Amino acid sequence: MTALIQRSGPGRVQVDDRALVNLASCDYLGLSGDPRVLAAAHQALDRWGLGSAAGRTLSGNTTLHRELEHRLAAWVGCEDAVLHGSCWSANAAVFGTLAALDAQTGSATAVFSDRLNHASIIDAIRTQRRTLSELVLYDHDDLDGLRRSLTAAAGEHTKVIVTDGVFSMEGDQAPLADLCALAGEFGAILVVDDSHGTGVVGATGRGSGEAQGVLGRVDVLTGTLGKALGGAIGGFVAGSASFTAALRKHSRPYLFSNNPPPAMVAGALAALDVLENDAEPLAVLRARVRQLRDGVARLRLTTYEGDHPIVPIILGDEDRAAAVSTALLDEGVFTTPLRFPMVPRGTARLRLQVSAAHSATAIDQVLGALARHAQD
Ligand SMILES: *Cc1c(COP(=O)(O)O)cnc(C)c1O
C-alpha cells in the first residue's frame, strides 16, 4: 500500500514521523499552502459554509462558481467554461454531451484518441462507445497515422480528436499547433485535456495552448483545479458559448453531482490571481525544473526530454523501480514507482514531480540520492 501521510505542506510530507521531500504531488506552484490562496478559502468557508448541499441546478449555483467559470474561460481564451466536480467528470461530460448532440441531430461521431491519453478520457469514450460510430486509437503523437485515419473516415458526420495537453506519465506536450491545423483541415473538433499544463506551461502558465502559440484555438479544453491551481478539487470544460450551453443541458455529472465547494472555488480564484499578478512561483518552478533535469542528464538517467516538472526516470523493471523508490525514501525523498497498468509493461519508472515549493537544496538532496541508487 502507498505510504500513509501524517502531515503535508507544499513540497513536503511526513511519513513514519520523518519529514520528506515530496516529489509525488501535482502542486507544481506550491499554491496549496500559499497564504493568499488559504486566506481566500478561509473567507469563503466563513461566508458560505462547508458546502451548498446542492448541485448547480439547485441552490448550489453561487456567484462564486460563475465568477470562476468566467475567469477560467478568459484565462484560456475561450467564450465560457463549466465547472465540474473533477476533471474526471469534465471529460465524462464532454463525451456524454457529444453523444447527446449526436442523438439529437441523428449524426454520428468518430473519435481519434492518442494511445497514451489519461484514463479519464479512455473511460469517458468507453462509456459512450455504443453511440460513437468509430473509435481510432492513434500512436502517441503520430500525426501521419492520425492523418491517414482521418482521411479514411472522411464520410463521418462529426470527427473528434482528443489528446492530453501534457502527458501525465511522460511529461511531454502534444503537438497542439499541428493538431489544431489537422482539425481545421478535416473539420474535426479538437478536445484537449490540459490538467498537467494548466498553470504550468506557457509564458504565463495558461497551459499548452499558450506554450504552442494556439491559445484559444482549441475547441474544447478540460482542466483540473486539483493540480497547479491550488491542488484541491474541481474540474472545468472551456469552449464556445454554444458547446458550454449544451454541456449545461446534457452533462450528467453537472446535472446530477455536486460542484467543488465554495472554499475550493475561492481558492482557485486566488490561485488565478497569483498567476496573473506574481511571476515568482512560475519562475522558481522553472529554475528548480532546470536544476533537476540538468542533474538527471549529468547522471545519464533515462528520461523524457522537455521542460515540464514531471521528470520520469525510466527504470524498466518493476521490482527495480520499487527498490529504488524505497532506497530514496530512506534518504528522505518521497517518490512513487509507477508500474503496469499505469504505464506499459517494461517501462516501470519513478515519476519525479518538481514544485516551486522545493528549495534548491532539496533538489540537490534528490540528485544525490538518485546518484547513489538510480544509476546502473
Ligand atoms: C489528473 C488528471 C485528471 C483527473 O483530474 P481530477 O480533477 O483529479 O479528476 C484528468 N486528466 C488528466 C490528463 C490528468 O492528469
Side-chain angles (χ1 to χ4, degrees):
M1 199 180 77
T2 312
L4 282 175
I5 309 298
Q6 297 163 316
R7 285 177 74 106
S8 66
R12 58 198 153 76
V13 284
Q14 182 180 311
V15 177
D16 292 337
D17 300 322
R18 293 172 59 228
L20 308 170
V21 179
N22 181 12
L23 291 176
S25 162
C26 308
D27 185 16
Y28 299 118
L29 298 171
L31 296 183
S32 71
D34 186 283
R36 296 162 287 188
V37 172
L38 294 186
H42 276 298
Q43 263 179 22
L45 191 60
D46 290 340
R47 170 166 175 187
W48 298 92
L50 197 60
S52 320
R56 296 289 295 281
T57 56
L58 304 173
S59 57
N61 191 28
T62 73
T63 51
L64 207 57
H65 287 82
R66 197 65 190 115
E67 186 186 345
L68 180 57
E69 288 175 339
H70 284 311
R71 282 285 298 279
L72 284 167
W75 194 58
V76 297
C78 289
E79 285 176 350
D80 202 354
V82 184
L83 276 176
H84 280 75
S86 65
C87 188
W88 187 286
S89 297
N91 286 333
V94 167
F95 286 91
T97 299
L98 288 169
L101 291 173
D102 274 354
Q104 250 177 19
T105 59
S107 177
T109 293
V111 176
F112 303 83
S113 176
D114 189 292
R115 247 179 226 291
L116 294 189
N117 276 344
H118 190 261
S120 57
I121 297 175
I122 296 168
D123 281 22
I125 296 170
R126 260 189 208 152
T127 307
Q128 305 302 334
R129 193 69 187 91
R130 273 190 314 151
T131 44
L132 300 173
S133 73
E134 194 176 344
L135 169 62
V136 176
L137 299 180
Y138 63 90
D139 288 338
H140 183 48
D141 287 351
D142 177 12
L143 293 167
D144 292 337
L146 174 57
R147 169 182 288 282
R148 281 193 298 277
S149 303
L150 285 164
T151 308
E156 297 297 338
H157 302 278
T158 312
K159 298 185 192 68
V160 174
I161 303 170
V162 58
T163 181
D164 283 15
V166 173
F167 289 85
S168 45
M169 304 298 159
E170 289 74 25
D172 61 328
Q173 282 181 40
L176 279 200
D178 293 330
L179 287 170
C180 274
L182 261 186
E185 188 182 333
F186 285 88
I189 299 169
L190 179 61
V191 178
V192 176
D193 176 348
D194 210 21
S195 287
H196 285 285
T198 307
V200 181
V201 303
T204 62
R206 288 167 199 240
S208 302
E210 183 181 34
Q212 300 188 44
V214 291
L215 191 68
R217 281 182 46 210
V218 168
D219 299 299
V220 178
L221 187 88
T222 65
T224 184
L225 310 182
K227 289 175 175 144
L229 297 183
I233 191 149
F236 64 91
V237 184
S240 67
S242 61
F243 188 73
T244 49
L247 271 169
R248 284 186 214 278
K249 237 164 89 189
H250 297 293
S251 159
R252 292 169 71 81
Y254 181 81
L255 296 170
F256 298 111
S257 182
N258 274 4
N259 252 212
M264 303 302 120
V265 174
L269 277 164
L272 287 178
D273 285 340
V274 171
L275 270 156
E276 287 181 345
N277 299 306
D278 181 359
E280 192 173 327
L282 256 182
V284 172
L285 173 66
R286 283 169 187 175
R288 300 293 180 268
V289 168
R290 207 53 288 140
Q291 184 189 351
L292 183 72
R293 283 186 173 273
D294 287 350
V296 164
R298 270 198 305 279
L299 294 175
R300 299 184 185 284
L301 299 171
T302 308
T303 184
Y304 284 84
E305 296 298 315
D307 52 14
H308 195 272
I310 292 175
V311 184
I313 307 291
I314 314 291
L315 296 164
D317 182 70
E318 310 226 326
D319 293 338
R320 174 137 191 268
V324 174
S325 166
T326 305
L328 292 185
L329 199 62
D330 289 339
E331 298 231 21
V333 176
F334 185 73
T335 65
T336 41
L338 299 180
R339 290 169 277 198
F340 183 82
M342 295 190 75
V343 296
R345 283 193 201 283
T347 69
R349 65 196 68 177
L350 299 181
R351 180 173 64 172
L352 312 182
Q353 293 175 281
V354 183
S355 168
H358 293 136
S359 64
T361 316
I363 299 295
D364 279 338
Q365 181 187 342
V366 173
L367 286 168
L370 286 172
R372 284 185 286 281
H373 303 290
Q375 283 186 306
D376 288 326

